[in-house]
Amino acid sequence: NGLANVRKLLTDDRIATALWNTTVLMVVSLPIIMVGSFMLGYFLNLKLPGHRVLRVIMFIPALISLSSLGMLFVAVLGPEGLINGALDQFGLHSLVTTWLADPSWALPSLIGVTIWSGLGFTSILFAARLQSIDEEIYAAAELDGANHWTKMWRIAFPICREYFGVLTMLQYLWNLFGSAGLVLLLTKGGPDQATSTLSWLVYRFSFTANQIGYSQTIGLLLFVLGIFGLVIIRSVF
């Protein structure tokens, strides 16, 4: 019953591991995605030569399917993948490893894929918002000696603060609930639960272990974490 599932959840080491992995994933990837995408969005609005091509390139992660994304990074991070091939070419054989099967590198690899998949699309959204800022504001700041760094964080960011908060909440939810897809395609929670996340356990217990009730209990925990995170982000921004 429900109470039995709750008691099981509180004493299940797999839940503790998945909660830790989920926390690390969120704490590392979310700030990098948000700060990096804001800076890239500002850079795109400078309209330097080639900025239209760059917009298309950065939109690619949003255009390809999740399965294609998984295949792409299996090719990049696999034993015979792009990274290991490049390390071999430069004579760094000691650094070659099975990135997705190494307990020390599996979670960082998953975080890297998460950052790559979220950075470009979010930066395009920021670029669209930053376009609405009146150029005269920037011009006035330049007369006072402001450089791009100052204009980015002392002018553009305060104007877009609420929008920044909204995108942070959306990215938080995407990463919290959407990590199961990448885990399924890249590592299946391994090696030895090194990349097991809460959303992955919801999928695993529901569709693989056929423990629907326990899966729903984990889903409830995930929902509570989602609400808790949104409240914190809202209070900050």
Side-chain angles (χ1 to χ4, degrees):
N1 57 33
L3 290 178
N5 286 327
V6 172
R7 286 194 295 268
K8 180 180 178 182
L9 183 143
L10 294 175
T11 58
D12 194 338
D13 291 339
R14 295 170 296 183
I15 301 298
T17 301
L19 180 60
W20 171 254
N21 291 339
T22 301
T23 303
V24 171
L25 175 68
M26 302 300 298
V27 169
V28 175
S29 65
L30 193 60
I32 294 176
I33 290 174
M34 298 312 301
V35 173
S37 59
F38 180 76
M39 295 174 69
L40 286 171
Y42 179 87
F43 174 77
L44 288 173
N45 272 335
L46 297 179
K47 298 181 180 178
L48 300 175
H51 73 278
R52 290 187 176 86
V53 176
L54 183 60
R55 284 174 184 264
V56 174
I57 293 174
M58 297 180 69
F59 207 73
I60 288 176
L63 297 178
I64 62 178
S65 65
L66 186 61
S67 58
S68 299
L69 183 66
M71 291 177 60
L72 172 64
F73 277 96
V74 166
V76 171
L77 299 169
E80 305 295 329
L82 183 63
I83 292 180
N84 284 342
L87 292 174
D88 273 329
Q89 288 293 324
F90 287 102
L92 302 174
H93 308 291
S94 60
L95 299 180
V96 172
T97 186
T98 51
W99 302 97
L100 296 174
D102 188 327
S104 299
W105 283 104
L107 185 58
S109 298
L110 182 66
I111 292 173
V113 177
T114 301
I115 292 172
W116 183 86
S117 61
L119 197 62
F121 179 67
T122 309
S123 66
I124 296 295
L125 296 179
F126 272 125
R129 174 64 181 89
L130 290 169
Q131 280 182 340
S132 65
I133 298 178
D134 194 335
E135 292 291 336
E136 293 182 359
I137 300 176
Y138 290 138
E142 288 173 1
L143 291 176
D144 292 332
N147 55 25
H148 282 303
W149 184 263
T150 302
K151 290 189 291 184
M152 183 190 307
W153 293 110
R154 303 296 291 272
I155 297 175
F157 178 72
I159 292 175
C160 300
R161 185 182 180 93
E162 288 191 11
Y163 188 76
F164 194 102
V166 171
L167 289 189
T168 302
M169 288 190 286
L170 290 175
Q171 193 67 54
Y172 173 79
L173 294 177
W174 288 336
N175 290 350
L176 181 66
F177 293 104
S179 63
L182 286 177
V183 173
L184 173 65
L185 292 169
L186 296 177
T187 63
K188 292 183 173 59
D192 193 26
Q193 300 186 62
T195 57
S196 177
T197 64
L198 289 175
S199 63
W200 158 250
L201 289 185
V202 171
Y203 167 83
R204 177 187 169 190
F205 285 113
S206 181
F207 294 99
T208 304
N210 198 27
Q211 299 180 32
I212 305 297
Y214 195 42
S215 172
Q216 291 173 339
T217 305
I218 301 171
L220 180 60
L221 172 62
L222 203 60
F223 175 78
V224 171
L225 291 176
I227 297 297
F228 182 71
L230 292 183
V231 170
I232 292 177
I233 294 170
R234 181 61 183 171
S235 65
V236 170
F237 292 101

